[in-house]
Amino acid sequence: MSEYDLYHGAGYQAPNDDSQTPQTRTQPAAPQFRPQVAPTPPGYQQTGSSYSQQAPGGQQSHYGNGPQSGYQIQGGAGQEQSYFPPQGQPGDGQMGGLASQMGNMGIGGDMNVGSRPNKKKSRHAHHNLDQPVGFSPGQVQPTQYGPSQQANSGHPYAGQQITPAMSQFPAQGGSQFSPAIQPSSPNPNIPTPSGPGVSAQGRVDPEQIPSIPRSRDAAAEYYLDHIYPTMEQHLPPPGAIPYVAHDQGNSSPKYARLTLNNIPATSESLSTTALPLGLVLQPLAPVQEGEQAIPVLDFGDSGPPRCRRCRAYINPFMMFRSGGNKLVCNMCTFPNDVTPEYFAPTDPSGVRVDRAQRPELTTGTVEYLVPKEYWAKEPVGLRWLFLIDVSQEAFTKGFLEAFCEGILGALYGNGSDGLNSEGNNGDSPELRSIPPGSKVGFVTFDKAMHFYNCSDKLEKAQMLVMPDIEDPFVPLGSDGLFVDPYDSKSVITSLLAQLPTLFSEIKNPEPALLPTLDAALSALTATGGKIICSLAALPTWGPGRLFMRDENKLHGIETEKKLFQTEHPGWKKTAGKMVESGVGIDFFMAAAGGGYMDIATIGHVAAVTGGETFFYPNYTAPRDTLKLSQEIKHTVTRKTGYQALMKVRCSNGLQVSSYHGNFLQHTFGADLEFGVIDADKAIGVMFSYDGKLESKLDAHFQCALLYTTASGQRRVRCTNTVASVSEGAMEGMRFIDQDAVVSMIAREAATRMTERPLKEVRNVLTEKTIDILAGYRKGFSGSHPPGQLVLPENLKEFGMYILGLLKSRAFKGISTLSTDTLKAVLTPSVCIAGHEPSDRRTHIMRLLKSMGTLELSLLLYPRIIPLHSLPPEMGFPSPTTGHLIVPPTIRASFSRIEEGGAYLVDDGQICLLWLHAHVSPNLLEDLFGPGKTSLQALDPMLSSLPVLETHLNAQVRNLLAYWASVRGSKAMSVQLARQGLDGAEYEFARMLVEDRNNEAQSYVDWLVHVHRCIQLELAGQRKREDGGSEGAMAGITSLRPPYW
């Protein structure tokens, strides 16, 4: 297919400039998600009565009222085939009720601002882009919510305006950035005491306030059939949806997201918005199907071209002058001499004649193979060292056996994927779970350490015991300890199968973890590598022994913050040595019955080295084995680098003020060091002003990650991001990335948990929300009645995300639930009020600092799908497009829970299947199998759905497979939450973040509170809950040296 056909197939005009369609790459196709669809059972006919549950649209879903030949999609050809049905049902977005409740208050996104009159020239390294179909920057009315208007009608991304400074097409004067909103009626912001959103009692109708599910669904529907062009558009899609990005020189939002894609020229202008200026980086993010692979370039011994002054790498925004002899840096504007090897002449317009054949000049994210001067040590394939806890607790829980099975599944598969077939020695790269050159080693530990020689020359593994834990050493050479897992497959398989039996009689209850880590470090010092360690009990033996620190009397007081960090010098020293040697570690920690594990100390090693902690706070072997196995496999198979260094550069006028994530930084300003870094890790970077930005130039940001791949290549991955600059902050309010703003605030708050009391951190988050919305109301919302709440168009759901952050396990207060939720959701025996254990707080705190925007968005606001009212066509591929048809999600509130319902709830960490006490027996039988007609008949240890020849069973399994593909690092397994029977229903109630729980208000009450504080701010009568400390807020805005 020609490039022209490919371009039009994606819904865009063919570009006129050859430089925009380099022959070295092809344009990506539209996203195609093809889930693991259940096989069609021969001759299956489903009969029975309906579930007697009404679908949201009023239609009753009947399962089995007619014969079905296999899993055919129901419905006529005229039905819309897409992920989501049309949005904007009657009443959506009508804000009359909220206006009446809040004192003549409405919610809107009015943007009475215009585009800059002067157009910037010669600023984009010749990215002359044609205007795409469907992205017209035409006149759009401001977002105003009144009784006669529907918000979010149509596709909010269909009319997305192009960033004025990032396109050759200027925006029309006075155009308002509010995508695809229908024109409002006259005087739409004058509220009336009655209307669709007002009840007889004048209460707020929660249906009328901004909805995260509706926003996600609309965006997912749009990007199902459209790609995201990174230069033509500059407002990234929401982080929680799948989309295909086309790299046009500006990096995909999957790798880098700016909080502001139009940056004010001065710090004073930024301070009027109270918004943080930051960048969320996920440099090794996975490439989605349909996206172009990251180019890997080799410039030989000379290395990639770089600026001699600021050392920035060559990128699409550097300009060539003097006929191609000078290279002008886009960061510091320094003119560099072009080396003879890299020289190419330019055409009359200043474009290199070979630009189309140079990926580094056309692609925002590239990788360079680097010469020896970039090496810290000889790069080799990644060494994986598995440390297996064989203490009494690990064996008793079944954790030892499950962990061994997980390692076997990660290395050789489970037999269904061909990895575990007879005769497979990994000769074919596609049959290997780890790349050629990588090796594995095994060590077990309790009170002593046991090293295993798994050489392929042996018939079975040899064990060498190291009883000296005071000064341990490795009794094996690297050739014996580290082996190719496919050459030694029979030896490794036999060893892992025998370990549970071998240690069943040797019951040492106290593991010695720190000496084992020191021994593992000595084994990996020469090469670097990654450690995967299991732990089932608090390590109370040997050097570095730990003790119980979490006492109830320490909760809720000033000294509680000490529980979230380690003060043990031995653990800190080991973590620093690991980073220095290029070694990282992932922990798999199982705490039966919620026992204390001191994650603050043990997880510190993983956090500093760039690793991750997988925590199972109430591990039960039959239920959690599948989740454990899948997460071990994900850890081994995801893209991983080691011996990594990161440097972030920015344009003149800006400077890096702080970093947030899992890394080690010896001094401020030094490079970030990682023992390991993987595809799921993200880093937050805050910027401040050290001068004034030039409004005639764009602001540029470059992240350079130097690392060694798992196959043993030393590379630099460069991620280039650009933003326009404006004199004031008005224009920048149109291009706020809500996910990036929430991510930066969450990371900053998580960082301060170890420095400030939790109550103060919660107050600062509340005050920060008020500052941002009040700043918009004062300076950018135009003329509105004083009693009206006006929200920025791109921050409509910001308040709900911050409320979800306040309710997260990291920041929540005493566990309290509303009376209605207690009566309807929980049984009295399940509702246990009290303080959150420090292990769980610390675990979520570190996740907040390191997770990407996708995982964070789901954590703060879970996605919920009702199963009892699924239309027949949902959960199956569309016959016309091949896309999976996904039902719309519902709001996370108990008011949306129907009696007799069944719901899937996923927050990115766990997935619950909540079943009402009066759920239909027919539904249970179709979902779980014959004879399963009551909640008591279900297996409480269930972790996955059985494969049945029923329509509903296939629907739900396909939806779970889809959710598993749009997720972070945690595996997708199902946990039952049966009303009145399972303790997991307490977790379900906690996930209903729009209700009043976790010592925080409901969504409606929260908006009312925020609005009242904004009114006080406008009247000059606001009293800050954080004591008015400027230092407390400076960290989030990154405008002053005290970062908090």
Side-chain angles (χ1 to χ4, degrees):
M1 183 184 292
S2 66
E3 291 183 353
Y4 181 89
D5 292 335
L6 280 172
Y7 210 74
H8 274 278
Y12 294 89
Q13 295 179 354
N16 298 324
D17 188 358
D18 291 340
S19 64
Q20 302 308 311
T21 56
Q23 299 177 2
T24 56
R25 339 188 284 273
T26 58
Q27 306 289 347
Q32 296 282 341
F33 173 74
R34 302 187 181 276
Q36 301 175 359
V37 182
T40 301
Y44 166 67
Q45 295 182 353
Q46 181 182 2
T47 59
S49 62
S50 70
Y51 297 146
S52 301
Q53 298 296 337
Q54 294 294 328
Q59 293 182 344
Q60 189 174 9
S61 299
H62 297 273
Y63 292 94
N65 284 347
Q68 298 179 11
S69 176
Y71 296 136
Q72 300 297 325
I73 296 178
Q74 305 299 306
Q79 291 183 346
E80 182 176 351
Q81 304 293 347
S82 65
Y83 278 156
F84 300 98
Q87 304 298 311
Q89 288 83 3
D92 288 356
Q94 299 170 359
M95 300 307 297
L98 187 60
S100 176
Q101 172 72 14
M102 298 183 180
N104 294 337
M105 174 181 59
I107 295 180
D110 194 343
M111 295 293 299
N112 292 324
V113 292
S115 58
R116 296 200 312 275
N118 296 326
K119 197 61 198 156
K120 307 168 189 177
K121 300 180 180 179
S122 302
R123 299 177 42 179
H124 316 299
H126 307 284
H127 277 273
N128 298 321
L129 303 172
D130 286 336
Q131 186 172 341
V133 176
F135 292 94
S136 172
Q139 180 78 17
V140 184
Q141 295 296 326
T143 303
Q144 297 169 334
Y145 293 83
S148 61
Q149 184 185 359
Q150 294 183 10
N152 290 330
S153 58
H155 300 299
Y157 294 86
Q160 186 177 133
Q161 185 177 2
I162 300 173
T163 311
M166 299 311 304
S167 168
Q168 67 203 35
F169 300 98
Q172 297 182 13
S175 63
Q176 311 299 321
F177 180 69
S178 178
I181 301 298
Q182 297 179 358
S184 57
S185 59
N187 297 326
N189 288 315
I190 300 178
T192 57
S194 62
V198 185
S199 65
Q201 293 79 18
R203 296 180 179 177
V204 175
D205 183 359
E207 181 68 28
Q208 313 308 322
I209 56 182
S211 168
I212 291 178
R214 188 185 305 133
S215 174
R216 287 176 179 171
D217 292 351
E221 180 184 9
Y222 177 78
Y223 283 106
L224 176 67
D225 299 316
H226 297 79
I227 62 174
Y228 174 76
T230 61
M231 282 292 293
E232 296 170 18
Q233 286 180 263
H234 235 53
L235 189 62
I241 68 165
Y243 62 93
V244 170
H246 171 35
D247 192 334
Q248 299 177 315
N250 190 32
S251 288
S252 165
K254 297 177 182 180
Y255 303 113
R257 298 180 76 113
L258 275 168
T259 56
L260 295 169
N261 291 288
N262 183 284
I263 300 175
T266 63
S267 61
E268 290 77 13
S269 297
L270 179 64
S271 64
T272 61
T273 70
L275 288 165
L277 177 55
L279 181 65
V280 181
L281 293 165
Q282 194 172 347
L284 298 183
V287 177
Q288 183 173 318
E289 181 182 358
E291 295 179 337
Q292 62 195 47
I294 304 299
V296 181
L297 310 177
D298 187 359
F299 285 88
D301 293 338
S302 61
R306 302 180 66 178
C307 174
R308 288 192 294 125
R309 175 190 287 172
C310 69
R311 304 301 294 162
Y313 289 84
I314 184 73
N315 62 75
F317 304 100
M318 287 189 175
M319 306 293 292
F320 288 89
R321 302 292 186 220
S322 303
N325 289 290
K326 293 289 185 180
L327 177 64
V328 181
C329 177
N330 61 313
M331 299 286 176
C332 65
T333 68
F334 180 75
N336 297 270
D337 293 329
V338 177
T339 60
E341 309 87 59
Y342 194 66
F343 173 79
T346 58
D347 63 18
S349 63
V351 180
R352 277 177 64 116
V353 296
D354 65 343
R355 181 174 179 272
Q357 289 75 41
R358 292 280 187 182
E360 72 273 16
L361 300 180
T362 57
T363 309
T365 304
V366 295
E367 284 196 337
Y368 304 107
L369 297 176
V370 293
K372 291 186 177 180
E373 55 260 32
Y374 290 81
W375 297 2
K377 58 185 69 174
E378 183 77 21
V380 296
L382 183 58
R383 272 39 176 173
W384 298 85
L385 186 56
F386 294 91
L387 306 183
I388 306 172
D389 180 5
V390 292
S391 63
Q392 179 181 354
E393 194 72 12
F395 174 78
T396 304
K397 293 177 184 176
F399 189 60
L400 171 58
E401 182 178 0
F403 193 75
C404 292
E405 290 177 357
I407 296 174
L408 286 173
L411 294 178
Y412 308 115
N414 54 15
S416 62
D417 49 14
L419 295 178
N420 205 24
S421 58
E422 291 295 329
N424 170 32
N425 292 322
D427 296 331
S428 177
E430 60 270 14
L431 295 180
R432 298 178 63 106
S433 58
I434 60 177
S438 297
K439 295 185 178 182
V440 299
F442 300 92
V443 177
T444 59
F445 67 97
D446 44 22
K447 285 187 175 182
M449 289 164 279
H450 322 98
F451 296 82
Y452 297 89
N453 185 349
C454 296
S455 172
D456 57 345
K457 299 176 183 179
L458 302 173
E459 293 185 1
K460 61 180 181 179
Q462 293 179 343
M463 176 196 289
L464 288 85
V465 180
M466 171 55 60
D468 184 5
I469 61 175
E470 296 293 336
D471 188 17
F473 63 92
V474 181
L476 276 174
S478 59
D479 293 339
L481 182 59
F482 293 102
V483 297
D484 187 289
Y486 301 97
D487 292 342
S488 302
K489 178 180 177 181
S490 60
V491 179
I492 293 174
T493 303
S494 175
L495 170 65
L496 293 177
Q498 294 175 4
L499 280 180
T501 304
L502 181 63
F503 289 94
S504 61
E505 301 298 330
I506 308 173
K507 297 181 179 179
N508 291 320
E510 299 175 299
L513 179 57
L514 185 59
T516 307
L517 296 181
D518 290 333
L521 173 59
S522 64
L524 291 168
T525 299
T527 60
K530 182 162 187 177
I531 301 171
I532 296 181
C533 178
S534 69
L535 186 66
L538 186 68
T540 57
W541 187 263
R545 65 178 65 88
L546 302 176
F547 56 91
M548 176 69 178
R549 294 195 297 155
D550 191 1
E551 301 177 5
N552 288 334
K553 64 181 182 180
L554 296 177
H555 290 198
I557 61 176
E558 177 77 19
T559 56
E560 183 181 11
K561 60 189 178 185
K562 294 182 178 180
L563 299 176
F564 311 142
Q565 56 187 316
T566 181
E567 297 178 353
H568 198 294
W571 290 86
K572 290 183 176 180
K573 182 179 179 181
T574 297
K577 286 184 176 179
M578 282 187 174
V579 177
E580 183 180 346
S581 301
V583 177
I585 185 169
D586 284 354
F587 284 106
F588 290 81
M589 302 175 65
Y596 181 66
M597 298 290 288
D598 201 352
I599 287 182
T601 298
I602 300 173
H604 172 80
V605 182
V608 169
T609 61
E612 185 171 359
T613 299
F614 295 85
F615 183 44
Y616 308 89
N618 189 20
Y619 182 83
T620 305
R623 183 193 66 200
D624 297 328
T625 298
L626 176 62
K627 181 176 176 65
L628 173 65
S629 298
Q630 290 179 345
E631 289 177 348
I632 294 173
K633 183 174 183 178
H634 178 72
T635 298
V636 172
T637 56
R638 65 185 171 187
K639 185 176 180 62
T640 302
Y642 68 105
Q643 296 181 29
L645 295 172
M646 177 184 284
K647 179 73 172 180
V648 177
R649 298 177 174 88
C650 53
S651 295
N652 287 340
L654 295 175
Q655 63 181 356
V656 175
S657 63
S658 61
Y659 294 94
H660 304 283
N662 286 357
F663 53 81
L664 177 65
Q665 188 180 27
H666 289 291
T667 59
F668 181 75
D671 294 348
L672 306 186
E673 300 181 37
F674 304 83
V676 293
I677 187 170
D678 57 63
D680 296 316
K681 296 300 177 295
I683 295 94
V685 188
M686 300 289 290
F687 299 96
S688 61
Y689 290 80
D690 63 357
K692 179 181 178 181
L693 291 175
E694 176 56 58
S695 60
K696 295 181 180 179
L697 300 175
D698 291 330
H700 297 272
F701 305 86
Q702 183 181 82
C703 166
L705 177 69
L706 174 65
Y707 73 105
T708 304
T709 66
S711 59
Q713 287 186 328
R714 194 70 170 160
R715 297 181 182 178
V716 170
R717 173 166 291 199
C718 285
T719 303
N720 299 283
T721 308
V722 63
S724 54
V725 178
S726 57
E727 287 293 341
M730 268 191 187
E731 198 167 312
M733 298 301 293
R734 302 183 185 181
F735 303 101
I736 301 171
D737 186 339
Q738 179 174 256
D739 289 282
V741 172
V742 172
S743 179
M744 293 307 305
I745 291 177
R747 292 171 198 277
E748 180 74 21
T751 300
R752 303 309 161 197
M753 275 185 63
T754 59
E755 304 171 5
R756 300 295 180 97
L758 280 175
K759 184 177 181 180
E760 184 176 334
V761 175
R762 288 193 293 267
N763 289 340
V764 170
L765 286 172
T766 301
E767 295 301 317
K768 186 61 183 175
T769 304
I770 297 168
D771 285 342
I772 291 175
L773 298 181
Y776 175 79
R777 183 67 178 85
K778 286 190 293 186
F780 310 104
S781 63
S783 57
H784 290 277
Q788 186 176 29
L789 173 64
V790 185
L791 301 179
E793 172 60 32
N794 298 320
L795 289 177
K796 289 199 302 290
E797 299 88 17
F798 174 70
M800 182 62 246
Y801 278 120
I802 297 299
L803 180 61
L805 184 63
L806 290 169
K807 293 184 177 184
S808 69
R809 293 191 182 277
F811 303 109
K812 60 176 283 193
I814 297 177
S815 227
T816 57
L817 293 169
S818 65
T819 304
D820 293 340
T821 304
L822 286 176
K823 292 179 179 179
V825 183
L826 302 179
T827 58
S829 62
V830 175
C831 180
I832 302 174
H835 295 281
E836 191 72 19
S838 64
D839 274 351
R840 304 195 79 169
R841 283 199 192 275
T842 308
H843 177 60
I844 298 299
M845 174 195 74
R846 293 202 173 116
L847 283 180
L848 290 173
K849 292 169 63 177
S850 64
M851 62 174 49
T853 53
L854 164 62
E855 200 170 356
L856 177 64
S857 180
L858 293 179
L859 179 67
L860 300 185
Y861 197 98
R863 48 191 175 187
I864 306 176
I865 289 181
L867 302 181
H868 55 279
S869 57
L870 278 180
E873 70 274 7
M874 293 295 176
F876 291 100
S878 165
T880 57
T881 65
H883 299 310
L884 190 77
I885 306 176
V886 180
T889 54
I890 65 172
R891 303 180 78 138
S893 171
F894 185 72
S895 63
R896 305 308 173 97
I897 303 302
E898 299 177 4
E899 184 175 359
Y903 296 87
L904 274 179
V905 190
D906 176 32
D907 69 350
Q909 308 298 310
I910 61 172
C911 180
L912 298 179
L913 175 53
W914 186 83
L915 301 170
H916 192 275
H918 301 142
V919 67
S920 167
N922 292 337
L923 183 147
L924 295 178
E925 201 163 35
D926 280 356
L927 199 55
F928 299 103
K932 308 292 186 182
T933 57
S934 67
L935 295 185
Q936 290 77 9
L938 301 181
D939 181 9
M941 297 294 106
L942 182 80
S943 60
S944 63
L945 292 181
V947 179
L948 303 176
E949 295 182 346
T950 63
H951 191 84
L952 178 64
N953 182 271
Q955 284 180 300
V956 178
R957 286 189 289 109
N958 288 340
L959 291 174
L960 289 173
Y962 166 73
W963 273 5
S965 69
V966 189
R967 203 171 170 86
S969 63
K970 306 304 183 294
M972 171 66 74
S973 64
V974 177
Q975 182 175 347
L976 284 184
R978 301 168 296 174
Q979 188 181 31
L981 295 177
D982 297 319
E985 61 174 340
Y986 178 80
E987 189 72 13
F988 171 73
R990 190 190 65 81
M991 290 183 179
L992 301 178
V993 290
E994 290 199 15
D995 295 336
R996 180 169 61 88
N997 52 26
N998 296 323
E999 205 189 36
Q1001 300 163 305
S1002 68
Y1003 186 18
V1004 172
D1005 293 340
W1006 166 253
L1007 281 182
V1008 172
H1009 170 69
V1010 169
H1011 173 62
R1012 288 172 179 167
C1013 292
I1014 291 175
Q1015 288 182 309
L1016 292 175
E1017 176 71 19
L1018 296 177
Q1021 300 174 358
R1022 175 183 168 201
K1023 182 178 180 181
R1024 304 181 66 95
E1025 294 183 16
D1026 58 5
S1029 170
E1030 299 226 344
M1033 301 307 301
I1036 295 181
T1037 57
S1038 186
L1039 297 177
R1040 303 175 182 86
Y1043 304 125
W1044 183 257

